[in-house]
Amino acid sequence: MNIIISNASSDPIYTQIMNQIRQSILSGELQAGDSLPSIRQLAKDLQVSVITTKRAYEELEKEQLIDSVVGKGCFVSGANKDFIREQRMKRLEEKLLEVIQDSKELSMSQQDVIEHLTILFEEDQTS
């Protein structure tokens, strides 16, 4: 597992760690039962605070992506990938509803929102 921290990113470091571990799990790079580096080891490797890595692991555990076993460490959860995907889809839908509400407040049409989304999507693919 290779985690890269970007100081130029607007995302907090713990979020960057979470996102990269989450992506590794959902892509299948990390399998159920695989062990993760200890909180202290990951903090040392990334040269960040133990509190930062602890928060990332706690959030991943809340999402049921990892399990923490006292005295043994953290492991990729055996939770159903479809269930995890469904949870993420629900969060995405909530964010999209917020975008819809904001666009209505700005008097944007559905087509305006789609065009903006298309532009942002294309820009993200080039970076």
Side-chain angles (χ1 to χ4, degrees):
M1 179 176 65
N2 187 22
I3 297 175
I4 299 168
I5 301 299
S6 170
N7 293 326
S9 174
S10 60
D11 290 333
I13 293 173
Y14 84 92
T15 302
Q16 292 180 52
I17 295 168
M18 273 179 44
N19 289 342
Q20 291 179 57
I21 294 174
R22 181 188 300 116
Q23 184 58 36
S24 293
I25 293 169
L26 295 177
S27 72
E29 179 185 337
L30 291 173
Q31 300 288 322
D34 286 352
S35 65
L36 298 173
S38 71
I39 291 171
R40 290 184 191 282
Q41 186 61 52
L42 185 60
K44 181 180 174 190
D45 292 347
L46 299 176
Q47 298 180 346
V48 298
S49 164
V50 170
I51 294 168
T52 301
T53 56
K54 185 176 188 316
R55 182 164 182 196
Y57 277 20
E58 285 172 348
E59 294 295 322
L60 289 166
E61 194 166 11
K62 283 181 192 173
E63 291 180 23
Q64 299 179 352
L65 289 172
I66 67 171
D67 297 316
S68 179
V69 180
V70 177
K72 296 199 179 202
C74 294
F75 302 87
V76 175
S77 173
N80 184 330
K81 281 190 180 182
D82 291 334
F83 173 73
I84 293 167
R85 187 180 189 319
E86 187 62 34
Q87 284 183 315
R88 294 194 66 208
M89 286 295 292
K90 183 179 176 190
R91 282 199 338 249
L92 178 60
E93 288 171 4
E94 290 168 359
K95 290 176 184 178
L96 288 172
L97 288 171
E98 187 177 325
V99 167
I100 291 168
Q101 186 60 42
D102 288 349
S103 66
K104 286 180 180 178
E105 290 172 6
L106 293 168
S107 301
M108 293 175 70
S109 69
Q110 179 180 354
Q111 189 59 38
D112 289 339
V113 174
I114 291 169
E115 287 173 9
H116 276 75
L117 181 61
T118 301
I119 290 168
L120 292 171
F121 196 87
E122 289 170 353
E123 285 178 0
D124 185 61
Q125 288 190 353
T126 61
S127 57

